[in-house]
Amino acid sequence: MVPYYLDEANGWALEVTELRRQLKLARAEGIKVRALVVINPGNPTGQVLSEENQKDIIRFCKDEHLLLLADEVYQENVFAENKKFFSFKKVSRSMGYGEKDLSLVSFHSISKGYCGECGKRGGYMEVTGLDNDAKEQLYKIASVNLCSNISGQILMSLVMNPPKSGEESYKSFQQERDSILASLGRRAKRFAEALNKLEGVSCNEAEGALHLFPRLHLPERALKAASAIDMPADTFYVRKLLDATGIVMVPGSGFGQAPGTWHIRSTVLPPEKKLPDIISRLSTFHQRFMDEFRK
């Protein structure tokens, strides 16, 4: 794996200059880079790529002969008014690129979006621009499963074929879907505002997806206390948070982050009516943590 870092100061932008830098370093070390993974809308960062940014990424993959793996499972979750989701396949076709120009695999899932059926597993990948031999190997891997995931396949078919205008359940489907997405948007905005009020915390607003990725600016004593027990500082923080409040967050070191920075990943999935209590518990814990380890 060759990591690349998003530009936090620029709303978690994916800069092609960073991709080229990491690719050059990897190749200099003898690594044969085969593919680029892009998650849009982003996890854990919650950004939504602009169409122009996507075009730059597509050109990069075409020029460097890289397979583009497009994780688009959060495509329904776009909260920023000035942002819109575009699939990489649609953008590549709008540029005049066909299957001979770009190898692309697009992913979607039932466990994200407004469905959020996380207890079930179902999804698809659309493979374009790969030769038949490669596709046969993918089918072979899929075929070794002894049992079909019937419930996951049924749910995926419902995601891909929702009620249509004029059908009996269309109106209630629209209302429920829009209500869920609006609530997620409110939760994302409210939680980001609460995080930015905490001492030593900075958080970009979520443009989409289901996550926030705030940065922690921890006191030196906290960093030393974590180092003393051979634990990353963000893991040290989230474990203390869990013990004190029952709130579960994931350390940024579990995802990869720019060296010298510390982050935590939070979802915006708790029920909206419970969010004030969660924010209150988090705020109280955080202030006590900062006071304990203050210089």
Side-chain angles (χ1 to χ4, degrees), residues 187-203:
R187 282 178 260 175
K189 182 177 179 62
R190 186 170 183 180
F191 203 17
E193 290 173 348
L195 288 165
N196 280 315
K197 291 178 181 178
L198 301 180
E199 178 187 357
V201 178
S202 58
C203 182

Side-chain angles (χ1 to χ4, degrees), residues 17-285:
T17 51
E18 165 71 359
L19 296 179
R20 294 193 188 283
R21 186 178 73 84
Q22 296 290 2
L23 181 61
K24 183 178 179 180
L25 290 172
R27 286 176 172 169
E29 295 177 2
I31 299 172
K32 186 174 182 180
V33 180
R34 301 177 183 275
L36 172 68
V37 177
V38 180
I39 305 175
N40 180 48
N43 174 15
T45 48
Q47 90 285 5
V48 178
L49 299 179
S50 69
E51 187 176 10
E52 286 304 313
N53 197 175
Q54 290 179 264
K55 288 180 179 179
D56 291 339
I57 294 166
I58 289 168
R59 292 188 192 100
F60 169 77
C61 288
K62 181 178 182 297
D63 293 344
E64 301 295 343
H65 306 289
L66 297 176
L67 169 66
L68 176 55
L69 302 173
D71 180 339
E72 299 175 333
V73 302
Y74 299 102
Q75 59 189 258
E76 296 285 346
N77 299 81
V78 179
F79 308 132
E81 293 183 0
N82 62 334
K83 288 296 183 78
K84 183 179 179 180
F85 170 79
F86 298 95
S87 73
F88 271 100
K89 183 180 180 183
K90 181 176 181 178
V91 174
S92 68
R93 297 300 184 262
S94 75
M95 298 168 68
Y97 294 161
E99 295 215 12
K100 294 182 179 180
D101 303 301
L102 180 72
S103 297
L104 169 66
V105 183
S106 306
F107 301 91
H108 198 17
S109 167
I110 61 171
S111 63
K112 310 300 178 185
Y114 60 86
C115 299
E117 291 288 351
C118 298
K120 298 290 184 180
R121 286 299 178 222
Y124 72 74
M125 60 178 182
E126 183 189 23
V127 180
T128 58
L130 268 67
D131 62 33
N132 289 331
D133 287 343
K135 289 182 181 180
E136 284 180 10
Q137 297 305 314
L138 291 173
Y139 282 122
K140 186 184 295 184
I141 293 171
S143 299
V144 299
N145 292 320
L146 294 178
C147 301
S148 299
N149 178 16
I150 299 298
S151 61
Q153 292 178 7
I154 292 171
L155 287 170
M156 195 70 240
S157 71
L158 294 174
V159 170
M160 299 308 298
N161 298 283
K164 297 176 178 59
S165 179
E167 294 181 349
E168 185 176 1
S169 58
Y170 178 71
K171 187 175 181 180
S172 60
F173 163 75
Q174 267 197 320
Q175 290 173 342
E176 185 171 352
R177 179 199 61 193
D178 294 348
S179 174
I180 291 170
L181 291 173
S183 176
L184 288 169
R186 290 193 299 270
R187 282 178 260 175
K189 182 177 179 62
R190 186 170 183 180
F191 203 17
E193 290 173 348
L195 288 165
N196 280 315
K197 291 178 181 178
L198 301 180
E199 178 187 357
V201 178
S202 58
C203 182
N204 289 327
E205 287 193 10
E207 298 175 337
L210 301 171
H211 312 287
L212 294 166
F213 201 53
R215 180 175 176 179
L216 302 176
H217 304 268
L218 299 175
E220 188 64 28
R221 283 185 60 201
L223 300 181
K224 290 180 179 178
S227 179
I229 56 174
D230 196 27
M231 184 181 291
D234 47 9
T235 303
F236 180 74
Y237 179 91
V238 297
R239 286 196 175 184
K240 282 190 168 291
L241 173 65
L242 176 62
D243 290 342
T245 67
I247 297 172
V248 179
M249 292 190 182
V250 183
S253 51
F255 294 91
Q257 55 195 336
T261 67
W262 304 107
H263 296 79
I264 51 176
R265 188 194 77 160
S266 171
T267 72
V268 297
L269 292 174
E272 196 167 358
K273 64 182 180 181
K274 293 185 178 181
L275 201 56
D277 176 60
I278 293 171
I279 290 172
S280 175
R281 280 189 281 155
L282 172 62
S283 300
T284 299
F285 161 81

